[in-house]
Amino acid sequence: SMSGASDLVSKEGKSLLPCPDKYRISTWTNCGGTLVYSNGNKYVGEVKDGNFHGQGTYTHANGDKYVGEWEDNKRHGQGTYTHANGDKYVGEWRNNKKFGQGILTWDIDGTYWGRWRDGLFHGEGIRTYPDGRVEQGIFENGKLKYAKKVSEPETAEKSPNSSDDVQKENERLRKEIARLKEGKQKPK
């Protein structure tokens, strides 16, 4: 099949009409299309009332890429942001910021797995470091506030709308965290 706007399907599962590409985005609504900006950035996805809204992929000229849900031009809902340097966040967004449950995997600096608020670690979480250190407990505004054993967040399995991507990432991280914990325990 030809790939392109006509293959886009809205979140409700209905096929979207292709946006009329000869018009400005401000005239687009309830359609799917591709926008390429003069700076090299590109959006492919749903548009409503001239805004990114629904499912869409935004690729920056520098290689950063967000794939997921949008509301009124903002990252909002489930989504994956992959940085050109290899850092990757898989999880929930609100108003363009990491918010809710999510996993951040740094290319060279370990992982954070847990709750977020306004783009910062906030709530129960587990932070692993490449040297094997593990911080876990309650985070506030990006810093570990109370160290305590936390059950590993069940980001994906419980959430019916999470993608296979999130579930695969969760499974990989669960194994990684188990491996790091085993490495820390001295044999008796």
Side-chain angles (χ1 to χ4, degrees), residues 9-182:
V9 173
S10 75
K11 284 203 297 199
E12 290 76 42
K14 56 187 187 297
S15 259
L16 288 164
L17 289 168
C19 293
D21 53 8
K22 40 193 163 302
Y23 301 115
R24 285 197 297 278
I25 185 173
S26 60
T27 65
W28 292 5
T29 194
N30 297 326
C31 60
T34 298
L35 286 158
V36 180
Y37 295 90
S38 55
N39 63 7
N41 294 353
K42 179 177 169 184
Y43 175 79
V44 179
E46 291 180 76
V47 177
K48 182 180 179 184
D49 300 326
N51 291 322
F52 308 156
H53 196 96
Q55 293 287 346
T57 298
Y58 193 97
T59 308
H60 296 264
N62 71 0
D64 288 4
K65 183 178 194 175
Y66 172 79
V67 179
E69 295 176 312
W70 295 83
E71 194 170 284
D72 297 328
N73 274 351
K74 297 190 169 86
R75 295 184 290 270
H76 196 94
Q78 292 280 339
T80 298
Y81 195 108
T82 307
H83 294 265
N85 68 1
D87 296 353
K88 181 177 185 182
Y89 172 80
V90 179
E92 295 172 302
W93 296 81
R94 184 183 297 173
N95 222 6
N96 247 3
K97 297 197 167 113
K98 301 171 186 84
F99 197 112
Q101 199 69 38
I103 302 157
L104 178 61
T105 308
W106 288 273
D107 184 44
I108 56 170
D109 199 26
T111 61
Y112 171 79
W113 181 0
R115 308 234 23 113
W116 295 77
R117 189 169 81 189
D118 292 332
L120 298 169
F121 314 154
H122 197 92
E124 285 206 342
I126 300 172
R127 171 79 169 93
T128 63
Y129 293 88
D131 64 10
R133 281 181 305 131
V134 177
E135 290 179 344
Q136 59 177 317
I138 307 297
F139 288 78
E140 274 185 21
N141 297 317
K143 305 263 185 288
L144 182 65
K145 184 89 174 197
Y146 310 105
K148 69 171 198 127
K149 184 103 178 88
V150 296
S151 55
E152 275 151 26
E154 298 183 54
T155 309
E157 299 83 355
K158 298 278 181 281
S159 159
N161 62 349
S162 72
S163 62
D164 292 345
D165 199 27
V166 177
Q167 292 190 14
K168 282 194 199 91
E169 189 72 4
N170 266 355
E171 195 46 49
R172 194 184 68 69
L173 281 161
R174 192 169 297 114
K175 289 185 179 127
E176 176 71 8
I177 287 168
R179 194 180 62 70
L180 287 168
K181 284 182 185 162
E182 279 164 23

